Every structure is written in C-alpha cells, then in structure tokens.
Amino acid sequence: MVAKVLFFPVANGDMTLIVLESGRKVLVDMNIRAAADDPDDDTPDVAAELRKRLTRDEQGRLYVDALLLSHPDQDHCAGLRKHFHLGPPSEWSKAADKIFIRELWSSPLVFRRASSQHTLCDDAKAFNSEARRRVTRFRAASWSVSDGDRILILGEDEDGKTDDLGAILVKAGAAFSQVNGQYDPSMTARLLAPQPRSDDQDEEELRSKNHSSTILNFALAGDGVPDAGRFLTGGDAEVAIWERLWQRYCAHPDWFCYDILLAPHHCSWHSLSYDSWSDYGEDAEVCQDARSALSQTRRGAVVIASSKPVRDDENDPPCIRAKREYEAIAKAADGSFICVSEHPSEKNPETVEFEVGRYGPRLKSKPMKAAAIVGAGSIGSQPLAHG
Amino acid sequence: MNWSIARALRIIGAHPNVASVDKEIVADNGAWSVEVTVKVGLPNAWMAEARSPNGVRAIEPVILVFPANFPLRAPTICLRADFDRSLAHVQPGDPGDRPEPCVVDGNLSELLHRQGLAGILNQLVLWLENAALGRLIDPKQGWEPVRRDDLAGFVVADAAALRSLVGRDDGAATFGFDYLALVDNDGERSVYGEMGPSRLTLNRGTIGALIAERASRKSPEVRVGHSLAVVAWPGRHPSGDLVIARRYQPETVTDLGSLMARAADYGCARALRDTLNWLTTCLAGHRDNARFPLVVVLCARRPFHVIGANSAIELCPYVVDIGPPAFLALGDRTPVQPIGHRHAITPDLLRRLSGAGGAEETLAWVQVGCGSLGSKIALHLARSGRAPSIVIDRRYLSPHNAARHALAPEVGGMPLHWIDAKATAVAEAIEGLGQKAIAVKQDVVAITRNRAAAKKHLPKKAWAIVNATASLGVREAFGSMPPDIDIPRVLETSLFAGGELGVLTVEGPDRNPDTLDLMAEAYSCMRADDALRPVMFGSDDTVIRQVIGEGCGSPTMVMSDARISMFAAPLAETIMRMQNTSLPENGGRLLIGQVAADGLGLSWSGYAVPQVAVVGVEGPGDWSVRISARAAGKIAEDVRQWPGVETGGILMGRISEPARTFYVTDVLPAPEDSARSPHEFVLGTSGARRAIADYAESAGYSLFCLGTWHNHLGASGPSGTDRTTAAAVALARLAPSVLLIHTPAGYRALLADAAGATPPASEEG
C-alpha cells in the first residue's frame, strides 16, 4: 500500500490530507470557504473532494482518524462547524451527515485566555471548546475514552496546566507513532513546535507575532518501506520560530529533513526574513538560521505553496521573493516548487496529490476527464447573447 | 489534415500530462503522425535525475500515428526506438521498429469510442508510470506471460493436467505428441499438434514405436507423425524455499544452450537435462534416420496467477528437431523455436470463462457479428428455417469462445477445426441445418467504407442487417455511412451492465431514426427510468463505465452462456416476428429488457421512436444535427409560451465524430436569469452548470451538453450576435458545439468548433 499526501486548492489557506499506509487519515487544517460550497461558483468544492476520499464507519459516519489545527486562524479552520461534527459522539446526526473526528490534535494554546491582540473567529472558538470538552472527558474518564472523544495535546503549556495529561501529551522534540489512540507503524511524526512557554515576556510576544503554529515532520511508510517519505508542515510559523528551532535543534538536521515541504504561511517572505518585502524589496535579507531549518531537503524535494497564484508584485503572502528562495532551495536538490492554485493550471486548479511508495513520494498525474472535453464550456458560465 | 485530426491535436495539447505537441504533422500514406512529449510522474528522487533507474524519462517523446480512418480507428502509439523492449506489455515487433506499448487489454479503438482520445492518453501516462515503477505487471490482473513474437506452430495441451504435475520437487515427464508439420516456401518448418493424455515410460525397446512420420495422403506437402513431448517443472532452493521466477523476460531462446539457461532461471534445468540424456540413450540404437519434432514445455512458477489462468504456473512450450544417431545434432547450438500453447478445451476452462467459478420463401438478411449473442440469434433463427443469407465476422474462434458460443467443439481427434473463422463456422453450422449462408471474414467497418464490398455484402435489397457485434466502432460505422452507399435498415442487439440489460433497436423507414439516434434514445430512456439508471450508469461494472484501464479489465463482459440465452431467445423471437410480418412503418423501435432481481424474470419496455429532424449545420466539416421528437416538442412548446420575444435553452445529447453529427435527445430550460426580448435572447447562468452536470452525470456522460437553441421571430438565419456567441462557445470547450435556431421556416444551425475555427498547424505554413 502507498501512503498519500494531498493538498486541496484553498487559495491562501491550508488544507492537507495525509493518508497513511495503514489507511488511517490525518487532516491538517481546512479552509472551506463559503464560495467553495456554492455550486454556481468556480471555487473548487474542496469539501466534496475531501468527502470523496474518506470512508464511513460501521455507523455510517464519514470520519477522519485525526484532525490537526496548526493554529486558530480563519484560513486554517474555516468550515469546521459546517462540515465537521463537534460535540459528544452520541449527538452525531445522520441527517446532517457531518464528518466525524475520531481524535483531535491540538496545541496547548486552547488552555490560554483569549489574547488581547488576537480575536478568534467562530470556527476557532468552536475548535477550542471541542478541545476543552475532550480534555474534560479525558480527565474524567481517562482510559475509557473512545472514538470521537479522543484528543492529543501537541506541546506543553505554562504553569503545569498540562502536567496531568501524560498519556495524551506529546512534548516538543519528541516523536510519536500514535493515531487515534493506536500505535501505527506506518507513521512517525516529530513535534518541533510549539516549544514550552517561555518566562521571558518579550520572547512570548515575539512568538505570538510570529504566528506560533504546530510544526510536525511526518515520516511516512510506503509499500512497506519505513520512512519512505518525509512531509514537513508548519502552519503559519514565521522567521523567529524557524530561527530559534534551528538554533535549538541544529545538532539534529534530520529532524528538519523533508521530501515535501508545505511552505509556511502560504509562501510568506516573513518565514524567511525579518525584513518586510514591501519596505525593503530586493534588499531584504534572508535569515540564515530560518533558511537552514527550511532547506534540509532530500533528493528531488518538492516545496508546496498553499496560496493564491504567486505574482511578481508587492503582495505577501504569497511573495515572489519567497517563491524564488524556495525554488533555489528545491533546485539545490534538483527538486521543484508547486503552487497549489496553479496546478495543473491556474484556470482549473485541482488537488495536488502525492503518492508515497517504496521509491519515495511521487506527484500523481491527473487523468483528463470527460468533462474537460464535453463539459458545458461557456454555457452556464457566462451570459450568452443570441440575436 | 482533416478536422478530426485538428480536434485531436487540441485535445492532446489540453491533456495535463502533455508537455508539448510537435508543430510538424507528418502525412504518410493517408495517415498522420505527430510527436508528443509526455510528462511522466516519477518519484521525487527520480525526477531529480529526469529518469527512472530502468530508463523511463520524466519527459518521454511519443509518436501518435493517426490512421486515415480516424476517428473510426484509434491512433497507434510508438515509443522512442531505444525504449526498453524487455518490459512487460510491449507489443511484439522487430527490434528496429519503435516499440508499441500495450496500454490496454483489449481493442484501442473500442477505448477511443468509449472514453475518447483522452482515455487513450490517460492510459498511456499510466502505462509509462507503471513501466518506471516496475508495476506493469499488476498482481490483481495477473502475471503477464512471456511475450513471444515469432511462433513456429502450436501444441494443444490440457493446461490443468500439466500444471497438476508441478509439486514441491522438480521433475520431468514425457508424453506422446501427434502432429502435422508444414514447410513453407522459405523452407521454414512449423508444427501443429496435440499432447497425449498420459505419461509414457521410455526405454530402448519402446521408443521405436513412439516415433514415426509420413507424408499426408491428402496433401503430400504436409507431414503427419507422432513424436514426444517433455514437460519439466521446478522444485526448491537448497534453503527449502520454492523456486519462483520473479523476473519478467521476453522470449530469447534460440538454441539448446539458451533453452537450458532459461530452464535454469525457472529452476527446472536438472530435470530437463536428465530427461534429454535418457532420451539420447534410448534413441542411440534407433535405426530410422528421419528427424522428428520434440516438444519441450518449461513450467515457470510465478509469484502470482498468470493472466487468463487460475494458476501461478506459466507454460512455455518450445520445439526442437531431434534424430538419431546424435539426437541433438549441434549440441548446445541445436536450433530451438518457441511454439504457442493452445488449450485443450477442458471443463475447468469453460467454468472459468463463463464466470461461474466455475413464411415460406427465403428471406435474405445479413448477420454481422458471429460471437456469443450473434451466433445464438443466427442459430435460433436457422433452426426455425430463417437463417441469415450472409454472415460477417472478421474474428477467429479461439478456446475461450467455447464457453459461450452457440457452436460446440466436436469430440475426438485434434480440435484443429476450432480455430476457424467465426463466420465460416457459423455458415457451416447453418449448412448443417439445410440452409446456405455466405461467410464473410472481413472487417465490417472496412466494408462500410467500400462501395463495391458494401453492395456485395450489405445488399440494399436484403430485409435488414442485424448487428450483434457489441462494437461501438461498428455502430458508429453504420451511423456514418458515406452518402453514396445505401444499406438496408439496421437492427442492433446489445447486452449491457454485465447482462442485466438487453437492448434491441430497429431503424425506421429510410433509416430514420438510425442506429445512433436509437442508441442515444436508449441512453435517454435509461437515464429517465429509476429502475434502469442505477443498473446502466450507477455501478462500477457497467459497460459504459467499465474500467478498461488500470488493471486492464477484459473488454468482454463475464457472464454465463445461459444469461446470454435469456436475451438471445426473446431477441430472436422478436426478429422472427418482424420477419414474419414487417419492420415498423412509422419511425423506429427501441426495446429495453431487464433481468428481474430474482434472476428469473425478464421485463421488456417498448418505445416507438418517431423520426428525427435532420438539419445541416453551417460551418466547416459538413456537420448535421439530428433532433429527437422529444427535444423538438419541448422547443416548440417553449416558443409557443413566449410569443413576440426570442427564447431558448440548452441542448443535451451525444456527438458522433465519424458521423459528424449532434444527436439532440433533450433540452434543458433556460436559466431563470435569462433575458428575452424581440431582438435578442440572452441565455443566463443561474443554476445552469449544476443542472447540466447533474444531467450528464446521471447518464454516465453518455449524454451531455451539446450547445444552445434559441428562436428567431422571422425566417432568418444566424445573426452577427449568434456568430459572435458561437465563436465564444467554441473557444471554451474542446468538443464541438452547435447553436440551433428555430425559425417559422424550420431549423437552422451554426457550428461552434475551435478545431474548425483555427487552421491546423501544418496548413499555416
């Protein structure tokens, strides 16, 4: 069996499905915009794309084995309430037919008070209350917790708030092979961030400004070969986070090593440099430590930008200068750079799908569909005048 | 270059894996060839090297050769000359020729008619990727047997009996071999024969009686004789593990030395050498100096079942000439030739292939297709004294036909007759029933394109043609007859959805509606019927959606002889009834039969299909539109509802490229945001895309959007606005579209086709 890593076309946002060789499915973030749910809109219907790739359990529920929210920004959790079941498993309804989340993967941020600088969107608030509900269930019932109530906390929180969560807590720097409470030999994921809370107020503020996100490096088995593919994903983490991670773990470059990198923060320049692209332009300097953290490539590595098409302009993200830097990183490994919104074409972006077999990851080719030839074309897409 | 090729080039250029299409289109004897570069999805690390370790490139040049009769026939796919020929699923060919990949198990032209050129390109990409990944041999499909390009005859043997010899230890056994030997003009000898059923014990005393050869009394150039066949099989490694031949190799055996090397690869060299040595000893005292063919069958144990068999043992037969006193005259250089294996027809084979796991005057009519359904219908009718006068089928009987063909092999002797042309075999059976049928062993598609052949084999004065080929290509050919060739009305019998559905279409007077109109109508009726739709379009094993690609499904549906008979009997009855009375006098007829859930009953729905309106289309390529009565009725009703203003809607149906025809089966109403005025109709968008997609999906894309219709209040043709819209519509899709205009003086139509609008590349220069 091959493993798969799929990037859905969600413009500036993230939505990645990892299908392990064991068949278990881990969804990392989502950005299911209202337009994607409108059949008359050209925005790809990513919810339908996701549902097609999931299976139903004995109770008829479509499910993911784990859902990771890298950080609580709208472009990483939009559509959560509309498309996913939240609340006790017993309240799942067939009529609503929402996707069932067997296990939630959350950062310890859910335990903190709402930040004055950062107001949460409704989907993020819903994620937090679901995470707290599951932690409460764990504290009350511990080992008897089952599908739909499970949670894994990725990283420790301040003041010992997470100290009693031993069995469901993964500490920064540790690797784990556990999905939905089960040991899964086809995956080992190393947690690189978030790092434990710092006592230094300035440091915490810097982290907060740098979009502290959960950073995981997945080692995936394919065709029975362990570690056949590596996938490094880090939400919106920006330069200071990557710089400090490299300073802390540079003795373990393998922890950063990847075949597929999801370019942080939708190909933002701020993940590679302290200098603003719009202010400094070509004079902006790359932070070498952050670059080191993001350039531990395996041969032929591919960097993915889950962003709008990258234009040569002042916008950031996505930023043309960041794209050039990632292309250079990929080129050094004879690899490539793919922007999800431009694949296979900007006009009709489709899910970017990698298959991880014994020879490592490979970008799957897209068959040409009947609809591409006998689809309605402009009929129904634009008003057509007939004289 | 014609428009079909121009459109094909646009589709190729639009394929996501096509990197480039060469501007230079080469014309050669009516065929067109174009070089295309294909992007192959390799693992990241190989992409970095731009090639796979076994030599498949990340960008592969491929030549597509379009035959003169494209799109009736599919293009040929050729790889670069230095592409590795030793891979599985490469077509046999000379080493100097460009290798042709076998991208589909079945007929490429059928794939073209089913899934279009895109389907062929998709398969090509998949094939190249599987070649790179070493996945051409798919365990689900089975082990690809050794490709053997040049065979010097065949041996008939009971495969199940030979395989049952193979156990945990290696060994060899000797059998008798009765044969015919032919020498062609070049002096090449070929051998055809059958292995005896029981193992022989050899010694110097018995061997003389086992070998003899003489000239045939009937044909002196044919030698008849009996000789020996040696079967050798593998055992275990010293470790105790079974010897399994895991490496795919094409046939390379040319002499005894290479045969022994191949036997060593398969783990049966020791057993073979011992047996050959003993034969040499036994023959040492043999006085007859003639030479005899000795058959050697090597058994290779594969990692999983061999394609077309339920066993992992592959049988590889060879023939070598032997003779005393030296036995093998040139030692290791004694020539050895591969020969084919033909199944002796066994109960095992039949069980497997059936999918069970086991008036007074003579009426002249033409039966096209003498396969399982066609032969039954022909013989049902022949047994009623209504045999066809002409039977056409270009194919030959082969052992798997015994599972479902109306004819049965005879008992006794070598079943050599079971390799005859189907048309000949059916004609002979008809002769046995006291009637006469002319057997035509030609491709009916070619006959439809040749005036003299059509006049002879599809005579206009015949009562009708019954098409039981189940071939989309044949249907398209009958639906796209050249204007100067007149043929009788066509009846088509087809089974669908693994034998759950049967269809009979009967063309109307003057072939209106014709066979393609009727099949479009059949799709339309099945789409609209809640009971038929899921059967026809809903599941994975329907014909329409049948997967030919990944894993190479067989193009023939697996079903039992009895199931075909369930349909063959009422179909034959209906045809006979029409022969005894008359063909429909108003319009055509469509019958759809469905097997009941209990598998016992069969319920039929009959539809009278009125004549279609045929409208010529303005624009290049001589296209036409055929409008069903249903669609025409809806259009007329809409025009009545909107007096004084122009109105319109969306056309649904099918396209036939060979016939250059749009078949309009239905119309969808104009979206709510459409605007109607006395001078203009603007087709809106609200909900339209979903409605079109839902419609096409519910018909498995057998019916799809064809374009638009609108009306003119006066008897005028296409306006400037219409032409502008046509140009916009053309650019937005790869398939041609049509703008149909309803006027008080009848219909007008305008072609919207970018392949026609943009001059093809070679014509620019």
Side-chain angles (χ1 to χ4, degrees):
Chain A
M1 275 280 287
V2 294
K4 288 175 187 167
V5 184
L6 302 100
F7 301 92
F8 297 92
V10 292
N12 274 10
D14 282 358
M15 182 161 170
T16 312
L17 179 68
I18 305 171
V19 182
L20 303 178
E21 193 196 22
S22 61
R24 290 195 177 89
K25 297 177 184 79
V26 179
L27 181 67
V28 182
D29 295 338
M30 73 194 70
N31 186 24
I32 310 174
R33 295 160 291 170
D37 294 333
D38 175 0
D40 273 339
D41 190 284
D42 278 339
T43 307
D45 187 353
V46 289
E49 282 289 306
L50 173 65
R51 293 176 72 95
K52 263 200 304 208
R53 289 169 163 91
L54 303 180
T55 47
R56 292 185 185 271
D57 63 16
E58 312 84 49
Q59 295 173 63
R61 303 176 296 202
L62 274 181
Y63 68 93
V64 291
D65 292 279
L67 168 68
L68 163 67
L69 180 60
S70 67
H71 68 291
D73 278 359
Q74 174 115 38
D75 54 350
H76 292 254
C77 61
L80 176 72
R81 287 164 305 149
K82 180 167 178 195
H83 294 281
F84 288 80
H85 172 70
L86 302 173
S90 58
E91 291 176 10
W92 183 86
S93 111
K94 192 168 183 172
D97 197 22
K98 293 186 183 180
I99 299 167
F100 187 75
I101 306 163
R102 288 184 164 178
E103 182 174 66
L104 212 57
W105 290 5
S106 170
S107 89
L109 287 168
V110 294
F111 299 108
R112 301 186 190 170
R113 282 194 309 276
S115 153
S116 53
Q117 298 171 342
H118 206 105
T119 29
L120 292 180
C121 66
D122 288 342
D123 280 316
K125 285 180 190 157
F127 182 90
N128 281 2
S129 47
E130 175 67 9
R132 282 194 220 102
R133 181 190 75 75
R134 292 186 181 215
V135 170
T136 306
R137 274 284 293 147
F138 172 79
R139 283 187 168 131
S142 187
W143 295 106
S144 68
V145 173
S146 60
D147 290 358
D149 281 335
R150 289 203 182 85
I151 184 163
L152 203 60
I153 302 293
L154 303 180
E156 296 160 277
D157 196 26
E158 59 184 336
D159 306 335
K161 279 184 191 167
T162 49
D163 285 0
D164 61 334
L165 299 178
I168 57 165
L169 179 69
V170 178
K171 294 185 177 176
F176 64 101
S177 294
Q178 174 191 343
V179 184
N180 189 30
Q182 307 277 320
Y183 169 69
D184 190 324
S186 66
M187 177 209 86
T188 301
R190 186 170 299 278
L191 181 68
L192 297 173
Q195 290 289 322
R197 190 176 174 114
S198 167
D199 294 335
D200 181 343
Q201 199 65 36
D202 294 344
E203 177 69 22
E204 271 307 299
E205 201 180 321
L206 186 76
R207 274 196 209 170
S208 162
K209 280 185 182 157
N210 272 270
H211 296 271
S212 182
S213 292
T214 302
I215 302 177
L216 283 173
N217 195 349
F218 289 89
L220 305 170
D223 284 333
V225 176
D227 197 11
R230 288 277 186 97
F231 169 47
L232 178 59
T233 177
D236 285 357
E238 291 195 337
V239 60
I241 309 277
W242 293 104
E243 181 187 39
R244 277 157 181 69
L245 273 184
W246 183 254
Q247 288 164 356
R248 189 178 180 103
Y249 294 133
C250 59
H252 306 286
D254 182 61
W255 290 11
F256 297 87
C257 192
Y258 62 84
D259 294 288
I260 306 168
L261 167 70
L262 181 61
H265 202 182
H266 327 300
C267 199
S268 163
W269 178 242
H270 286 291
S271 295
L272 289 161
S273 169
Y274 282 98
D275 300 341
S276 156
W277 167 242
S278 55
D279 295 345
Y280 288 81
E282 298 295 344
D283 293 333
E285 281 182 22
V286 172
C287 166
Q288 285 310 322
D289 280 345
R291 193 189 192 279
S292 295
L294 290 166
S295 59
Q296 302 302 311
T297 49
R298 282 182 172 178
R299 186 125 178 83
V302 179
V303 180
I304 301 288
S306 184
S307 69
K308 293 176 182 168
V310 190
R311 311 256 187 246
D312 192 353
D313 58 19
E314 288 198 341
N315 285 340
D316 183 13
C319 171
I320 185 71
R321 175 84 193 273
K323 175 183 171 176
R324 290 207 300 262
E325 201 62 40
Y326 286 120
E327 281 178 331
I329 288 169
K331 194 174 174 218
D334 288 319
S336 56
F337 174 92
I338 296 171
C339 173
V340 181
S341 294
E342 299 170 18
H343 179 87
S345 70
E346 196 176 319
K347 201 171 150 217
N348 291 305
E350 288 182 43
T351 303
V352 174
E353 179 169 353
F354 285 88
E355 174 187 282
V356 183
R358 76 184 70 214
Y359 307 115
R362 140 184 125 83
L363 180 64
K364 279 196 79 175
S365 298
K366 299 276 177 204
M368 194 175 198
K369 295 174 188 150
I373 297 166
V374 294
S378 57
I379 297 169
S381 304
Q382 63 193 71
L384 294 175
H386 298 75
Chain B
M1 177 167 44
N2 63 40
W3 301 120
S4 291
I5 305 263
R7 181 171 307 101
L9 293 178
R10 290 188 75 221
I11 290 174
I12 293 167
H15 193 281
N17 279 71
V18 170
S20 67
V21 184
D22 197 330
K23 285 222 158 47
E24 195 179 343
I25 317 298
V26 182
D28 178 21
N29 239 343
W32 297 90
S33 68
V34 60
E35 181 162 330
V36 176
T37 52
V38 178
K39 292 187 273 188
V40 183
L42 301 177
N44 288 359
W46 300 353
M47 278 300 211
E49 310 294 334
R51 66 191 291 281
S52 69
N54 66 355
V56 178
R57 299 180 190 164
I59 303 281
E60 272 291 345
V62 172
I63 290 183
L64 298 174
V65 183
F66 292 87
N69 57 355
F70 175 83
L72 268 177
R73 290 281 180 241
T76 306
I77 302 169
C78 304
L79 304 172
R80 60 188 154 82
D82 57 349
F83 197 93
D84 186 358
R85 274 188 172 274
S86 71
L87 292 165
H89 295 285
V90 175
Q91 303 274 21
D94 291 332
D97 295 345
R98 286 169 168 270
E100 290 178 26
C102 180
V103 301
V104 57
D105 177 13
N107 186 317
L108 205 56
S109 293
E110 290 295 296
L111 179 64
L112 176 71
H113 293 300
R114 209 180 297 271
Q115 296 183 358
L117 194 57
I120 291 180
L121 294 170
N122 290 344
Q123 281 302 119
L124 169 64
V125 171
L126 194 67
W127 188 93
L128 286 167
E129 292 178 349
N130 283 339
L133 292 163
R135 284 194 206 152
L136 281 176
I137 291 186
D138 172 5
K140 270 188 283 182
Q141 182 195 8
W143 182 272
E144 162 90 346
V146 172
R147 197 184 72 242
R148 315 175 94 202
D149 302 351
D150 200 11
L151 299 176
F154 62 75
V155 53
V156 175
D158 179 346
L162 295 190
R163 289 179 172 127
S164 71
L165 294 168
V166 185
R168 291 186 58 77
D169 294 313
D170 65 341
T174 309
F175 296 82
F177 177 60
D178 293 329
Y179 64 91
L180 302 171
L182 307 168
V183 179
D184 67 15
N185 295 337
D186 299 332
E188 293 285 329
R189 185 168 146 117
S190 49
V191 175
Y192 304 85
E194 181 171 20
M195 278 173 62
S198 31
R199 292 172 74 157
L200 303 175
T201 308
L202 295 183
N203 57 51
R204 289 173 201 227
T206 59
I207 198 158
L210 298 171
I211 300 178
E213 186 179 294
R214 60 171 172 77
S216 160
R217 286 186 197 94
K218 274 194 200 163
S219 329
E221 71 280 13
V222 176
R223 307 280 299 170
V224 183
H226 47 262
S227 174
L228 300 169
V230 175
V231 181
W233 58 87
R236 286 175 283 181
H237 290 293
S239 65
D241 295 336
L242 291 174
V243 176
I244 296 176
R246 297 177 189 278
R247 191 160 65 99
Y248 178 85
Q249 296 167 277
E251 188 57 83
T252 52
V253 170
T254 54
D255 57 21
L256 191 69
S258 48
L259 177 69
M260 292 309 300
R262 187 55 70 102
D265 286 345
Y266 296 162
C268 52
R270 189 197 61 83
L272 178 62
R273 193 167 290 284
D274 286 355
T275 305
L276 293 182
N277 287 343
W278 177 238
L279 271 174
T280 312
T281 309
C282 293
L283 271 174
H286 194 62
R287 262 167 274 162
D288 190 342
N289 272 338
R291 301 195 64 75
F292 307 96
L294 172 75
V295 170
V296 175
V297 181
L298 300 184
C299 299
R301 190 188 280 115
R302 300 302 186 181
F304 41 83
H305 77 94
V306 176
I307 291 174
N310 51 10
S311 160
I313 305 298
E314 181 179 352
L315 305 173
C316 309
Y318 301 88
V319 65
V320 52
D321 272 4
I322 59 165
F327 182 64
L328 293 160
L330 301 170
D332 273 359
R333 287 182 291 112
T334 309
V336 175
Q337 288 178 286
I339 58 171
H341 167 242
R342 291 280 169 99
H343 287 279
I345 295 155
T346 61
D348 172 65
L349 181 73
L350 300 184
R351 273 198 298 273
R352 185 155 46 79
L353 283 158
S354 60
E360 298 308 309
E361 75 279 355
T362 314
L363 194 64
W365 63 284
V366 185
Q367 168 85 39
V368 183
C370 299
S372 50
L373 182 60
S375 64
K376 287 183 177 62
I377 291 173
L379 288 179
H380 272 311
L381 287 159
R383 288 191 173 96
S384 309
R386 293 280 184 201
S389 44
I390 299 173
V391 288
I392 306 178
D393 199 314
R394 69 185 167 98
R395 294 176 192 279
Y396 285 73
L397 287 165
S398 74
H400 78 266
N401 291 126
R404 300 188 301 222
H405 202 273
L407 301 178
E410 286 168 26
V411 178
M414 283 184 287
L416 293 177
H417 62 276
W418 195 253
I419 55 171
D420 213 340
K422 287 183 181 178
T424 310
V426 169
E428 280 175 6
I430 288 171
E431 201 177 339
L433 293 166
Q435 294 161 75
K436 185 133 190 72
I438 298 163
V440 181
K441 298 179 276 186
Q442 293 171 27
D443 178 6
V444 73
V445 173
I447 294 173
T448 62
R449 294 303 181 263
N450 179 320
R451 193 156 185 254
K455 206 170 167 187
K456 189 170 169 196
H457 302 313
L458 305 168
K460 174 68 182 147
K461 65 178 188 318
W463 172 74
I465 296 167
V466 175
N467 170 16
T469 58
S471 159
L472 307 185
V474 172
R475 183 193 300 152
E476 293 278 344
F478 282 136
S480 59
M481 292 300 296
D484 61 334
I485 302 181
D486 241 3
I487 58 168
R489 287 156 81 168
V490 177
L491 282 65
E492 180 178 328
T493 58
S494 285
L495 303 187
F496 293 95
E500 292 297 313
L501 300 176
V503 169
L504 172 67
T505 64
V506 185
E507 291 187 336
D510 300 323
R511 303 195 61 215
N512 183 348
D514 73 11
T515 193
L516 288 171
D517 294 321
L518 289 158
M519 197 47 71
E521 190 60 27
Y523 293 144
S524 187
C525 292
M526 290 191 267
R527 192 199 76 84
D529 187 310
D530 289 341
L532 298 175
R533 185 176 55 246
V535 182
M536 182 68 180
F537 305 117
S539 66
D540 290 337
D541 54 358
T542 63
V543 162
I544 291 291
R545 287 232 200 129
Q546 190 181 358
V547 178
I548 296 191
E550 236 161 328
C552 293
S554 168
T556 305
M557 286 187 281
V558 171
M559 65 179 112
S560 69
D561 185 57
R563 173 59 65 95
I564 296 173
S565 294
M566 277 179 84
F567 285 100
L571 288 170
E573 281 279 307
T574 308
I575 292 167
M576 202 158 38
R577 207 163 42 241
M578 284 190 283
Q579 287 180 340
N580 290 336
T581 56
S582 70
L583 286 166
E585 280 155 17
N586 294 303
R589 187 125 177 96
L590 165 65
L591 284 172
I592 302 175
Q594 184 179 16
V595 178
D598 61 7
L600 296 172
L602 200 55
S603 61
W604 290 90
S605 311
Y607 305 83
V609 184
Q611 288 203 334
V612 301
V614 185
V615 184
V617 178
E618 291 180 30
D622 223 6
W623 284 73
S624 58
V625 197
R626 298 173 70 95
I627 308 157
S628 74
R630 177 192 304 106
K634 286 187 180 179
I635 289 172
E637 179 55 30
D638 201 79
V639 170
R640 247 195 312 280
Q641 277 191 1
W642 296 95
V645 292
E646 293 190 4
T647 181
I650 297 162
L651 304 174
M652 302 299 290
R654 295 175 60 72
I655 297 172
S656 165
E657 282 222 37
R660 292 193 188 161
T661 302
F662 298 92
Y663 299 86
V664 179
T665 54
D666 207 351
V667 294
L668 293 178
E672 281 176 7
D673 58 345
S674 299
R676 296 170 178 86
S677 75
H679 305 295
E680 190 181 61
F681 166 71
V682 179
L683 186 73
T685 62
S686 172
R689 295 213 312 168
R690 172 52 66 93
I692 292 168
D694 285 353
Y695 195 106
E697 275 166 27
S698 67
Y701 270 93
S702 60
L703 302 172
F704 43 82
C705 177
L706 298 179
T708 67
W709 75 271
H710 72 288
N711 70 321
H712 286 177
L713 302 177
S716 58
S719 66
T721 310
D722 294 340
R723 294 186 194 282
T724 310
T725 296
V729 167
L731 286 175
R733 89 172 190 170
L734 293 167
S737 309
V738 67
L739 269 65
L740 183 68
I741 304 162
H742 176 281
T743 81
Y747 287 107
R748 302 286 289 271
L750 184 61
L751 185 70
D753 183 13
T758 317
S762 69
E763 293 183 359
E764 283 175 340

